[in-house]
Amino acid sequence: MSNFSVPQIERILLNCKIKPSNIQLECHAYYQQRKIKQYCDLKSITLSAYGPLGSPDRPEHHRLEKHTVLLDEQVIRHIASDYRKTPAQRLLRFLIQNGFAVLPKSQNYNRMKENITCLILIYQPWIWEKYKDLIKV
C-alpha cells in the first residue's frame, strides 16, 4: 500500500483476507508521519519512507515553504558537523532510529556508499528534540 491514511488503512483491515504488512509513504524530518507510525506500530505494519531527504530536487512550487530544502537546515548541518557526518546520513539515521525503512533515491555510487554508513550511527537523546522542531506538516 502507498500513501494511505489511518481511516483508509482501517477500512482495508476490516475487509481484507490478507493483512497488509507494509505501507510506503513520504516521510522525512519535515513530514514525520507520527500519527500513521503510531497506528501502524499497533497493527504490526511496517513503514517504508520515500523521499527521506525531503526530495531536494523537488520543484520549488511543490515544496512546503518557499526555498525550503531539508538538507540545508541549520540544525541538520550543525548535528552533522558535530558528528563529522553528512546531513543526509543524519536524516536517514533519524528515520531508521524511528523504525522506518528508508528508500533514498540516488544514482551516485559514492552517495550510495555514504548513505549505507548511516546504519552504524547512534543518536544521543538531545538530538531527538531538535528534530521535533522541524515538523512542518
Side-chain angles (χ1 to χ4, degrees), residues 66-83:
K66 194 171 184 141
H67 305 295
T68 303
V69 176
L70 186 55
L71 291 167
D72 294 335
E73 280 285 349
Q74 235 8 67
V75 68
I76 302 298
R77 290 193 159 294
H78 177 71
I79 292 168
S81 69
D82 281 355
Y83 285 87

Side-chain angles (χ1 to χ4, degrees), residues 86-130:
T86 67
Q89 288 172 311
R90 299 303 341 184
L91 289 166
L92 294 173
R93 185 59 194 178
F94 167 72
L95 290 173
I96 291 167
Q97 196 85 19
N98 276 293
F100 289 86
V102 294
L103 306 169
K105 176 184 165 189
S106 183
Q107 295 178 343
N108 180 303
Y109 177 74
N110 288 328
R111 274 199 215 115
M112 288 182 212
K113 281 176 46 178
E114 185 179 272
N115 288 346
I116 199 74
T117 64
C118 76
L119 296 174
I120 60 172
L121 303 175
I122 302 297
Y123 264 109
Q124 301 301 323
W126 67 270
I127 294 176
W128 294 112
E129 295 304 314
K130 293 187 178 283

